[in-house]
Amino acid sequence: MRTKIVAGNWKMNNNFEESVNLVKAIEKKTDVLKLKNTRVIVAPTFVNLKSVVDSLGDGCVEVVAQNMHQAKKGAFTGEISAQMLQSIGIKTVILGHSERRTYFNETDEALAEKINTVLENKMEAIFCFGEVLEDRKSDNHFNVVESQIKKALFHLKDTDWKSIVLAYEPVWAIGTGETASPEQAQEMHAFVRSLVADKYSQAVADEVSILYGGSVKPGNALEIFSKQDVDGGLIGGAALNVDDFIGIITAI
Ligand code: PGA
């Protein structure tokens, strides 16, 4: 059975105190739910990662990073390496978020290198992809997504896929209040799973969790998560409010 995941991407929000308070509240309310086969993840900003890790008890909340540099170490001012993350207990990193691609010029080629670094360091990646509105309108969304996946991930070996979580995030739905319909999400998730099955095997494709991201809220989560190929969500805005985030976790 595929693992279900609800991941909160806090982006550039929450100072030290807010981060610690939010994660503690999430942990407390999540523990009560006694979740099975479900991962609850939060992604604070780099400066607050260690404090958030340290403020957690033995509950089921995991802490991940929002980004990482591909190089081992060196003269890359302002960047963070895989080993730095590991040294504070971080095992998973979000890569290829559309905001990274748009505002920080992350290319598919750079993302392929970052994925390699993740694997070399025995970490896990939550790999984001998705089309912009013009691609959707011109019916080019499947081509765009196929290209993003192929360029960043199709050099991997079968066994590497154990360390990959996919996150379909149509850019037009991120932070806009406009969500892909459950049918649009399912259609794209099934397409992506078929790409992995064709290149690797059905077994590999059946194991990979594919999350949906883009204006997921407590009110629409159940409908989206009920689709066969949707294994959870990558949540932005609604992950900053404990009740909204717990509402979404309850939906899964
Ligand atoms: P949103 O963000 O839930 O605020 O749309 C999703 C994301 O960027 O991961």
Side-chain angles (χ1 to χ4, degrees), residues 70-109:
Q70 58 270 41
K72 223 174 178 175
K73 60 181 193 172
F76 299 99
T77 301
E79 292 293 328
I80 307 280
S81 73
Q83 278 156 359
M84 290 171 189
L85 294 175
Q86 277 182 322
S87 70
I88 55 162
I90 304 295
K91 300 188 185 75
T92 302
V93 57
I94 298 171
L95 290 179
H97 190 281
S98 74
E99 287 148 20
R100 299 289 324 165
R101 293 176 189 259
T102 306
Y103 306 133
F104 304 97
N105 305 318
E106 277 195 8
T107 60
D108 292 317
E109 291 69 27

Side-chain angles (χ1 to χ4, degrees), residues 4-118:
K4 304 270 182 197
I5 301 173
V6 178
N9 175 10
W10 293 357
K11 307 189 181 182
M12 198 173 73
N13 293 294
N14 294 333
N15 63 22
F16 163 73
E17 208 179 339
E18 290 161 345
S19 300
V20 167
N21 289 342
L22 179 58
V23 82
K24 281 186 177 165
I26 291 170
E27 185 180 44
K28 203 166 152 203
K29 294 200 176 193
T30 306
D31 281 351
V32 179
L33 299 174
K34 303 254 178 290
L35 299 169
K36 292 204 183 71
N37 191 40
T38 303
R39 295 169 65 188
V40 174
I41 290 174
V42 296
T45 185
F46 284 130
V47 281
N48 292 318
L49 279 172
K50 175 87 167 84
S51 325
V52 169
V53 168
D54 289 347
S55 66
L56 284 171
D58 299 329
C60 72
V61 179
E62 295 171 49
V63 185
V64 314
Q66 296 177 15
N67 181 35
M68 185 197 82
H69 196 270
Q70 58 270 41
K72 223 174 178 175
K73 60 181 193 172
F76 299 99
T77 301
E79 292 293 328
I80 307 280
S81 73
Q83 278 156 359
M84 290 171 189
L85 294 175
Q86 277 182 322
S87 70
I88 55 162
I90 304 295
K91 300 188 185 75
T92 302
V93 57
I94 298 171
L95 290 179
H97 190 281
S98 74
E99 287 148 20
R100 299 289 324 165
R101 293 176 189 259
T102 306
Y103 306 133
F104 304 97
N105 305 318
E106 277 195 8
T107 60
D108 292 317
E109 291 69 27
L111 287 167
E113 286 181 41
K114 290 189 178 200
I115 291 283
N116 291 342
T117 303
V118 160

Side-chain angles (χ1 to χ4, degrees), residues 9 11 97 99 169 173-176 213-217 234-238:
N9 175 10
K11 307 189 181 182
H97 190 281
E99 287 148 20
E169 299 208 303
I174 296 178
T176 59
S215 298
V216 178
K217 306 270 179 276
L234 183 54
I235 321 298

Side-chain angles (χ1 to χ4, degrees), residues 41-250:
I41 290 174
V42 296
T45 185
F46 284 130
V47 281
N48 292 318
L49 279 172
K50 175 87 167 84
S51 325
V52 169
V53 168
D54 289 347
S55 66
L56 284 171
D58 299 329
C60 72
V61 179
E62 295 171 49
V63 185
V64 314
Q66 296 177 15
N67 181 35
M68 185 197 82
H69 196 270
Q70 58 270 41
K72 223 174 178 175
K73 60 181 193 172
F76 299 99
T77 301
E79 292 293 328
I80 307 280
S81 73
Q83 278 156 359
M84 290 171 189
L85 294 175
Q86 277 182 322
S87 70
I88 55 162
I90 304 295
K91 300 188 185 75
T92 302
V93 57
I94 298 171
L95 290 179
H97 190 281
S98 74
E99 287 148 20
R100 299 289 324 165
R101 293 176 189 259
T102 306
Y103 306 133
F104 304 97
N105 305 318
E106 277 195 8
T107 60
D108 292 317
E109 291 69 27
L111 287 167
E113 286 181 41
K114 290 189 178 200
I115 291 283
N116 291 342
T117 303
V118 160
L119 294 167
E120 278 159 23
N121 286 278
K122 305 213 171 348
M123 293 173 72
E124 176 192 55
I126 300 175
F127 178 78
C128 307
F129 57 92
E131 81 283 359
V132 297
L133 188 59
E134 294 75 58
D135 296 322
R136 172 67 59 173
K137 280 188 176 156
S138 59
D139 219 14
N140 200 30
H141 46 298
F142 291 114
N143 291 334
V144 168
V145 163
E146 181 169 355
S147 161
Q148 289 172 333
I149 301 248
K150 279 187 173 166
K151 285 183 181 158
L153 299 174
F154 273 12
H155 61 288
L156 299 183
K157 301 191 295 289
D158 282 34
T159 47
D160 294 335
W161 281 83
K162 285 195 200 77
S163 308
I164 306 291
V165 171
L166 298 177
Y168 170 52
E169 299 208 303
V171 180
W172 47 272
I174 296 178
T176 59
E178 190 173 342
T179 325
S181 69
E183 291 69 32
Q184 285 173 322
Q186 168 58 27
E187 187 184 35
M188 184 58 86
H189 286 219
F191 171 71
V192 168
R193 207 178 294 289
S194 75
L195 289 178
V196 178
D198 290 348
K199 167 78 180 169
Y200 295 90
S201 66
Q202 194 62 50
V204 170
D206 284 344
E207 282 300 304
V208 64
S209 296
I210 310 179
L211 315 184
Y212 167 79
S215 298
V216 178
K217 306 270 179 276
N220 59 23
L222 187 60
E223 225 192 335
I224 297 170
F225 293 165
S226 64
K227 292 294 177 190
Q228 196 184 337
D229 288 289
V230 179
D231 305 308
L234 183 54
I235 321 298
L240 299 173
N241 175 286
V242 64
D243 291 328
D244 286 349
F245 195 54
I246 294 296
I248 294 168
I249 296 167
T250 308

